[in-house]
Amino acid sequence: MEFENLQAIWDTQNDKPVFAMQDARLLVALYQQREHSRRRLFKQYFIPMYIVAPVGLVGVGFVFFAFFMKSMYIKKIARDFPMSAWDYAAFAVAAGALVAMVVPLYIERKRHERTQQVFAPSLREELDRGMAQLDFEVGLHSTSRLARFYGLLTIAVVLFGWEVGRLNGNPTSWGFVWMAMSSMFITSWASFAIKKALKESVLPRKRALESMRAALDEDYGSPTAEIARKSERIL
Amino acid sequence: MGQTEQQRVFDGWLRNHQGLFFKVVRAYAFTPQDQEDLFQEIAAQVWRSIPGFRGDAAATTWIYRVALNAAIAWTQKERRHRDGKQSLDGVEPAFLQASPAADPRIEWLYEQIRQLNEIDRSLTLLLLDGFSYKEMAAMLGITENYVGVKINRIKSHLTGKSREETGNGI
């Protein structure tokens, strides 16, 4: 084939657009991305939570049972002491903290999933759901939620460790308390750093969805015009 | 030049020369994400260049010059960026989607262009769009003689490849 023929082939693309905004394909791509985001969130955030809380509860229950049995039935040795009312309260608070840590999350996720599980019938609705998913993801890492989560976790871990110490004949396990509190402080500090990184990764995606949504609302007509406007906003 | 005037020129260029933008984008960026990224980069550079446009050259020539320079700079920047980082999987869905019904012969041409180095890619685009050697030399900041040598090589490369592919309907 001669070069002129190649040029003639090249020129045919001037007659029709090379790119096109394809609503159906975009809708499916957005849906797949949202599904991926939901699965990832479930695996990385909720499953660990759903494991940690019940395991913690079993641990608290086990220590309570052991301490209770020791107080009631086992012959005491010199350094042993029975459970006091404060010990009962500590077990109850530790268990309550674990429950309070996970139940509101479970309820909130259920509520959110009800709106997310259905395939959105239109691009506009898919964009709305995509934005809701991102809001939910960011909301899980909000400062108040993280503070509450780590507050409750610290209470549960400290009380659990304290009671384990008492079960083993140490009436005041201050060393463990300080160790637990410092490790909780480090963990919560790390999670605040993760929160920042997450926000930085989510916000551009949200802005992209918002600008597509605005393009649909204002009926700009073509993605080219939309991108031109996006570029203008960037400038 | 006022903001409104700049906007008017930009809208006009984008409306009338969108094919040019897309050609450069497709020649330099391969994934939908990269294509969108490069499109925005080119659009931003073209916008910035508008106050400097005096009308001495045709708008197409000006846009091509800015777009090709932006594309080459973007390619180098991306290469440096990717040398140290993994690609981001599933970041953004493609905002622009290549038409599935695109002419396979044009796809083949883009495939061949993508295999060239950055300057040759620019020359091929300009050549296929009918620019003179003089215009190409001015746009890319190289001598006309060098353009001539390069173009001869590109032409024989492309025609040679097309002959190899004739059996495949190209």
Side-chain angles (χ1 to χ4, degrees):
Chain A
M1 191 182 288
E2 295 308 314
F3 188 76
E4 288 67 33
N5 301 110
L6 293 175
Q7 204 156 20
I9 294 170
W10 180 257
D11 287 341
T12 58
Q13 65 182 321
N14 296 332
D15 304 331
K16 56 188 177 202
V18 177
F19 287 86
M21 175 79 152
Q22 293 166 8
D23 282 9
R25 283 182 64 180
L26 185 61
L27 193 152
V28 171
L30 290 170
Y31 172 72
Q32 285 170 338
Q33 195 181 45
R34 182 162 60 85
E35 281 287 287
H36 172 76
S37 164
R38 284 171 56 208
R39 277 198 300 272
R40 184 177 44 75
L41 202 60
F42 184 66
K43 277 186 204 156
Q44 294 176 359
Y45 190 89
F46 287 99
I47 287 188
M49 202 78 76
Y50 292 165
I51 291 171
V52 164
V55 166
L57 275 176
V58 169
V60 169
F62 179 78
V63 174
F64 172 80
F65 181 74
F67 205 171
F68 182 78
M69 294 301 280
K70 196 174 173 183
S71 305
M72 297 294 287
Y73 303 111
I74 299 170
K75 195 179 171 188
K76 297 176 182 66
I77 55 173
R79 65 192 181 95
D80 280 346
F81 42 86
M83 278 176 85
S84 69
W86 288 110
D87 292 313
Y88 285 102
F91 279 116
V93 172
L98 287 170
V99 171
M101 204 173 83
V102 79
V103 168
L105 270 177
Y106 174 81
I107 293 169
E108 199 171 333
R109 180 174 173 272
K110 277 275 164 207
R111 199 180 299 142
H112 171 71
E113 281 297 301
R114 269 202 292 275
T115 63
Q116 290 281 324
Q117 270 164 358
V118 195
F119 186 84
S122 71
L123 182 58
R124 188 172 269 107
E125 284 183 49
E126 182 52 50
L127 288 168
D128 286 343
R129 287 181 197 180
M131 285 188 274
Q133 175 64 22
L134 293 178
D135 284 340
F136 180 67
E137 200 170 334
V138 170
L140 289 175
H141 295 82
S142 68
T143 306
S144 60
R145 192 183 293 271
L146 285 177
R148 179 188 143 92
F149 174 79
Y150 282 103
L152 289 169
L153 188 61
T154 306
I155 290 171
V157 169
V158 164
L159 290 177
F160 177 75
W162 180 268
E163 291 305 319
V164 169
R166 283 176 64 78
L167 174 66
N168 290 309
N170 180 3
T172 48
S173 318
W174 288 113
F176 177 82
V177 169
W178 289 121
M179 199 175 72
M181 285 184 79
S182 2
S183 59
M184 281 296 122
F185 176 77
I186 292 166
T187 318
S188 59
W189 179 81
S191 77
F192 276 99
I194 292 168
K195 173 199 160 189
K196 198 177 164 216
L198 178 101
K199 220 170 176 178
E200 278 167 10
S201 74
V202 163
L203 281 181
R205 280 169 58 196
K206 188 162 181 220
R207 274 201 292 271
L209 292 178
E210 280 170 348
S211 78
M212 282 188 239
R213 180 74 165 82
L216 278 177
D217 286 346
E218 294 172 34
D219 194 21
Y220 280 164
S222 77
T224 313
E226 158 57 9
I227 292 173
R229 281 164 177 83
K230 264 165 89 177
S231 307
E232 182 197 337
R233 280 199 289 273
I234 289 165
L235 297 164
Chain B
M1 182 182 278
Q3 185 94 358
T4 324
E5 177 62 6
Q6 191 175 358
Q7 180 66 55
R8 194 188 59 74
V9 173
F10 184 69
D11 284 344
W13 282 0
L14 211 54
R15 195 170 45 249
N16 300 326
H17 306 292
Q18 59 168 292
L20 187 160
F21 281 77
F22 290 145
K23 282 174 191 170
V24 178
V25 166
R26 290 194 74 189
Y28 282 86
F30 313 139
T31 67
Q33 286 85 8
D34 281 351
Q35 286 171 342
E36 182 174 336
D37 193 22
L38 178 57
F39 188 98
Q40 293 206 19
E41 179 64 28
I42 291 174
Q45 293 297 337
V46 169
W47 167 274
R48 285 197 191 101
S49 78
I50 291 173
F53 179 64
R54 300 272 171 261
D56 302 335
T60 341
T61 313
W62 179 267
I63 298 167
Y64 241 129
R65 177 186 292 169
V66 175
L68 289 173
N69 282 318
I72 291 169
W74 180 87
T75 310
Q76 287 163 352
K77 193 178 77 185
E78 279 299 293
R79 194 182 296 139
R80 276 200 302 276
H81 179 71
R82 278 176 190 169
D83 281 345
K85 290 191 173 176
Q86 295 286 317
S87 66
L88 296 168
D89 291 328
V91 253
E92 280 296 306
F95 189 57
L96 288 172
Q97 307 267 343
S99 167
D103 186 338
R105 296 170 310 166
I106 291 178
E107 293 300 316
W108 177 86
L109 257 175
Y110 275 113
E111 198 54 49
Q112 299 309 311
I113 293 170
R114 284 169 192 160
Q115 288 169 20
L116 302 171
N117 69 38
E118 288 137 29
I119 300 293
D120 287 359
R121 265 185 246 174
S122 303
L123 285 169
T124 312
L125 288 181
L126 296 170
L127 177 70
L128 287 166
D129 272 338
F131 285 90
S132 70
Y133 287 14
K134 194 179 170 185
E135 286 171 315
M136 291 185 212
M139 272 190 229
L140 299 172
I142 50 180
T143 64
E144 269 187 72
N145 283 342
Y146 188 58
V147 170
V149 173
K150 283 277 193 186
I151 291 292
N152 282 335
R153 281 187 201 152
I154 291 168
K155 272 185 177 176
S156 54
H157 173 76
L158 287 179
T159 48
K161 284 277 180 188
S162 72
R163 282 187 196 115
E164 283 172 24
E165 297 286 337
T166 309
N168 298 330
I170 301 298

